Amino acid sequence: MPNVMIRQDQSGKKTLYVAKRDLEEDIVSIEFEAADRWGGDITLADGSTYYIEPLDVAPDLPITIRAKRGGEG
């Protein structure tokens, strides 16, 4: 599972960055985005997906966290 960085700009747009793949893409949806549950399936603008084990508290961004690429067992 790679480490990914999730950032949010001043306009509220979130991006996901994977250093090992030199990939940076806009996030179009996060399965859980509540104050008491954050993470799950993340869909990027290019159609790819990542999975982050849901957290009990929404994190301050930017955050570096382990994520599983969509489709991995």
Side-chain angles (χ1 to χ4, degrees):
M1 279 194 292
N3 282 333
V4 300
M5 179 185 283
I6 297 176
R7 305 182 258 231
Q8 181 171 319
D9 68 14
Q10 291 179 345
S11 70
K13 180 179 77 171
K14 293 179 184 75
T15 57
L16 182 139
Y17 176 71
V18 184
K20 287 188 175 188
R21 303 183 87 217
D22 195 28
L23 166 75
E24 184 169 14
E25 193 65 52
D26 291 343
I27 295 173
V28 293
S29 70
I30 299 176
E31 184 176 10
F32 304 109
E33 251 189 305
D36 63 346
R37 188 162 168 88
W38 189 91
D41 291 318
I42 295 176
T43 304
L44 306 182
D46 68 358
S48 61
T49 60
Y50 283 82
Y51 178 79
I52 294 173
E53 192 66 38
L55 304 174
D56 293 336
V57 176
D60 291 328
L61 300 179
I63 185 174
T64 299
I65 192 166
R66 295 187 65 75
K68 186 185 294 186
R69 182 145 164 75
E72 290 184 1

